[in-house]
């Protein structure tokens, strides 16, 4: 497995692979890899990739001024061991100054799906994501890119950006992966105390109940959302948002119909967790 730190070397490596007929997938990450990330690598292979690049870059531009950029967990040794075991071909791990020249003044902004939900409390987050993902695409030159359903809004915004800007890259959204007890896998779960972790399971329990209720015929959307909120609050969670949206466009839903996504963001202690469930009607 190769570790590449510069954009030039990454582009040259991918260019040579493409000319040799490889199908390249990129799995963009911020490192501190867990089962969720590893499942993205499996999804890449299932979707025809014979060459997998994992990018590891804690992207400063997607963190707000009072967020956890400085203390975001990092463990490159652990990450590279997992990637090696998974048969990853390259880790692309640039330094911040390689990705962002000091006088960098260009952003890539998606203006529709990047509004609402997480953007309400993280107003500059998605322009950081779409900008860095564009840069990672241009460095790694992949045929396909895999993102997790856990960051449902991010995945939709990136899909839209790729469509709008004609990136010749297929975006694959991989299912959300949970810990054995149901908590959505996230590098930020590390911040939770045991008690906060237990309490945070209320998100998964509430989402599962909501889906079961809809599957068994309930259509009272406002009451369903209120019950979900109440169950998270009863466990000590502070809800940032709970919504019912269209699973592709993220437009708010006013009735139970079609392809729906129910995204949730809630704080347990200082840790902000996100989760969601897809429901088809
Ligand atoms: O999902 C993430 O880890 C990040 O937002 C991403 C896509 C790697 C961009 O920094």
């Amino acid at each position: 497995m190769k570790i590449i730190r510069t954009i030039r070397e990454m582009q040259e490596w991918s260019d040579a692979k493409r000319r040799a007929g490889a199908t390249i997938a990129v799995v963009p990450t911020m490192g501190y890899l867990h089962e969720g990330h590893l499942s993205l690598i499996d999804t890449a292979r299932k979707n025809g990739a014979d060459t997998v690049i994992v990018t590891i870059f804690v992207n400063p531009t997607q963190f707000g001024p009072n967020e956890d950029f400085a203390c975001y967990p990092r463990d490159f040794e652990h990450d590279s061991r997992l990637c090696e075991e998974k048969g990853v071909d390259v880790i692309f791990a640039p330094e911040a100054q390689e990705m962002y020249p000091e006088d960098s003044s260009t952003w890539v902004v998606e203006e529709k799906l990047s509004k609402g939900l997480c953007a309400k409390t993280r107003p500059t987050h998605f322009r950081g994501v779409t900008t860095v993902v564009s840069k990672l695409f241009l460095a790694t030159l992949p045929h396909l890119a895999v993102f997790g359903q856990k960051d449902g809004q991010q995945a939709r915004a990136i899909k839209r950006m790729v469509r709008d800007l004609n990136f010749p890259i297929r975006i694959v959204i991989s299912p959300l992966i949970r810990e054995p007890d149901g908590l959505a896998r996230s590098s930020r779960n590390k911040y939770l105390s045991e008690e906060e972790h237990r309490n945070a399971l209320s998100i998964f329990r509430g989402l599962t109940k909501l889906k079961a209720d809809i599957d068994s015929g309930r259509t009272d959307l406002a009451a369903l959302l209120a019950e979900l909120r109440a169950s998270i609050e009863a466990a000590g969670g502070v809800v940032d948002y709970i919504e019912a949206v269209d699973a592709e466009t993220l437009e708010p839903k006013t009735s139970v119909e079609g392809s729906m996504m129910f995204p949730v963001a809630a704080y347990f202690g200082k840790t902000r967790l996100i989760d969601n469930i897809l429901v088809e009607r």
Side-chain angles (χ1 to χ4, degrees), residues 27-31 37 40 55-63 72 100 122 125-126 128-133 136 146-148 150-151 154-155 158 187-188:
V27 176
T29 82
M30 298 206 298
H37 298 111
L40 302 180
T55 71
I56 298 181
F57 179 61
V58 184
N59 172 37
T61 64
Q62 70 188 74
F63 290 81
Y72 192 85
Y100 295 107
R122 308 186 74 193
H125 173 68
F126 287 108
V129 170
T130 40
T131 300
V132 82
V133 168
L136 292 169
V146 187
F147 295 88
K150 153 103 180 341
D151 298 299
Q154 164 175 285
I158 289 169
S187 305
R188 291 192 171 98

Side-chain angles (χ1 to χ4, degrees), residues 16-232:
K17 281 280 173 198
R18 289 177 78 105
R19 276 188 278 111
T23 300
I24 304 176
V26 68
V27 176
T29 82
M30 298 206 298
Y32 214 71
L33 303 182
H34 50 68
E35 291 292 329
H37 298 111
L38 301 183
S39 76
L40 302 180
I41 298 170
D42 294 333
T43 298
R45 294 231 167 80
K46 279 189 212 130
N47 279 272
D50 50 40
T51 303
V52 178
I53 302 168
V54 171
T55 71
I56 298 181
F57 179 61
V58 184
N59 172 37
T61 64
Q62 70 188 74
F63 290 81
N66 298 315
E67 293 181 1
D68 55 346
F69 173 67
C71 63
Y72 192 85
R74 293 160 169 89
D75 189 346
F76 190 76
E77 298 272 292
H78 160 90
D79 292 347
S80 47
R81 190 161 33 78
L82 288 184
C83 286
E84 181 101 56
E85 282 167 16
K86 253 340 220 179
V88 165
D89 296 273
V90 174
I91 294 180
F92 177 53
E95 294 293 336
Q97 54 280 28
E98 175 70 7
M99 290 298 276
Y100 295 107
E102 223 162 83
D103 57 352
S104 174
S105 53
T106 304
W107 294 97
V108 178
V109 184
E110 189 288 318
E111 293 197 328
K112 196 138 200 252
L113 292 86
S114 303
K115 296 214 166 115
L117 303 178
C118 282
K120 282 190 207 149
T121 43
R122 308 186 74 193
T124 58
H125 173 68
F126 287 108
R127 76 167 190 178
V129 170
T130 40
T131 300
V132 82
V133 168
S134 300
K135 291 170 71 67
L136 292 169
F137 285 170
L138 291 167
T140 57
L141 307 175
H143 297 92
L144 64 131
V146 187
F147 295 88
Q149 171 59 25
K150 153 103 180 341
D151 298 299
Q153 185 179 14
Q154 164 175 285
R156 281 11 171 238
I158 289 169
K159 247 179 127 167
R160 176 65 60 92
M161 170 192 86
V162 162
R163 188 202 72 180
D164 289 352
L165 297 183
N166 312 109
F167 279 98
I169 299 171
R170 182 155 68 92
I171 302 300
V172 179
I173 302 181
S174 192
L176 194 152
I177 299 295
R178 299 186 178 281
E179 299 194 8
D181 60 14
L183 191 68
R185 293 255 183 208
S186 165
S187 305
R188 291 192 171 98
N189 292 352
K190 171 193 155 67
Y191 300 147
L192 298 168
S193 69
E194 260 177 48
E195 193 191 349
E196 287 164 350
H197 184 125
R198 254 196 323 277
N199 292 339
L201 295 177
S202 58
I203 302 177
F204 173 60
R205 277 199 299 268
L207 286 170
T208 312
K209 177 171 182 306
L210 177 141
K211 178 171 168 20
D213 284 346
I214 292 177
D215 287 346
S216 65
R218 273 185 70 181
T219 55
D220 47 342
L221 190 55
L224 286 163
L225 295 176
E227 284 169 30
L228 174 57
R229 173 180 288 270
S231 66
I232 293 171

